[in-house]
Amino acid sequence: MPNTLGKTDICNLALRRIGVRPVNNVETDTDIAAVEMKSVWDNAVQNVLRSTQWNFAKKILPLALLADEKVLGWRFLYTYPRDCAMLWKIESPVSVHVHEFEHHFELLLSPETNTPAIATNVEGAYGRYTAMVTETTRWDSNFVDCLAWRLALDACLRLSTDSQDYQNCARGYAMALSNALTMNRTERRNDHEQLGFFINVR
């Protein structure tokens, strides 16, 4: 379900977890809490996006082939997607429906342009990845919970006066991420799982 909280709301959720008063506007306030939240925001968002295969940010798209470039040990080199926060798998039209089949790949720099690239032996490869979704209204509630804990964790050493807050935030983040992993799996069903259900019923 889409999230209705904005950036300041999420930052205030994080601040409450370390006993710090909320801010009015994280973008314009100049007090230490707002400045600290703003400074850790981008890194926290990227780290949480990279932490698991969030369903709301999942993409499976064809990769752009670097046709004139080769890398020792691999047949093909593809451009790393610009909106990719975390690449999870390389897929082919066959393997995308057979989840136990894994294609090998390696992340490296293009020898010609020195930009991020993906080396693999898969012809016509697709990338399964988490996209860099930064609009708060596109996040789900589990992601927001994880992000608030991560923000609290990143900021507590500067903002909190309680020496236990760092450990509490680390545990909170781990628990929130575990719960999000479970929910992400619950919302996924593939053809094999559906077929197995009907076979078991019969």
Side-chain angles (χ1 to χ4, degrees), residues 75-102:
R75 293 178 59 202
F76 304 102
L77 194 67
Y78 296 91
T79 300
Y80 194 85
R82 288 189 176 184
D83 67 339
C84 180
M86 183 70 177
L87 179 68
W88 298 101
K89 289 183 179 180
I90 294 297
E91 304 278 15
S92 69
V94 174
S95 68
V96 71
H97 295 297
V98 185
H99 297 287
E100 65 270 17
F101 190 83
E102 298 280 346

Side-chain angles (χ1 to χ4, degrees), residues 96-176:
V96 71
H97 295 297
V98 185
H99 297 287
E100 65 270 17
F101 190 83
E102 298 280 346
H103 293 294
H104 296 291
F105 68 93
E106 183 177 2
L107 303 183
L108 38 72
L109 291 178
S110 159
E112 298 294 331
T113 63
N114 210 36
T115 56
I118 306 162
T120 182
N121 292 326
V122 179
E123 186 174 8
Y126 287 68
R128 180 188 292 267
Y129 64 92
T130 298
M132 183 59 73
V133 177
T134 57
E135 301 90 342
T136 62
T137 55
R138 294 178 60 187
W139 298 338
D140 64 26
S141 58
N142 290 301
F143 181 86
V144 169
D145 191 31
C146 287
L147 177 59
W149 278 116
R150 179 64 197 231
L151 289 166
L153 179 65
D154 290 350
C156 73
L157 290 180
R158 184 172 184 193
L159 298 181
S160 174
T161 57
D162 189 337
S163 61
Q164 294 298 312
D165 274 345
Y166 187 86
Q167 294 300 324
N168 292 338
C169 289
R171 284 192 295 269
Y173 179 57
M175 291 177 63

Side-chain angles (χ1 to χ4, degrees), residues 71 76 84 96 110 117 124-125 177 184 191 202:
V71 173
F76 304 102
C84 180
V96 71
S110 159
L177 185 57
N184 277 343
D191 293 339
R202 292 178 61 189

Side-chain angles (χ1 to χ4, degrees), residues 16-37:
R16 283 196 294 272
R17 290 174 174 175
I18 53 176
V20 177
R21 294 178 60 183
V23 299
N24 292 321
N25 188 318
V26 73
E27 295 288 1
T28 59
D29 286 7
T30 57
D31 59 274
I32 187 173
V35 171
E36 183 66 11
M37 283 287 109

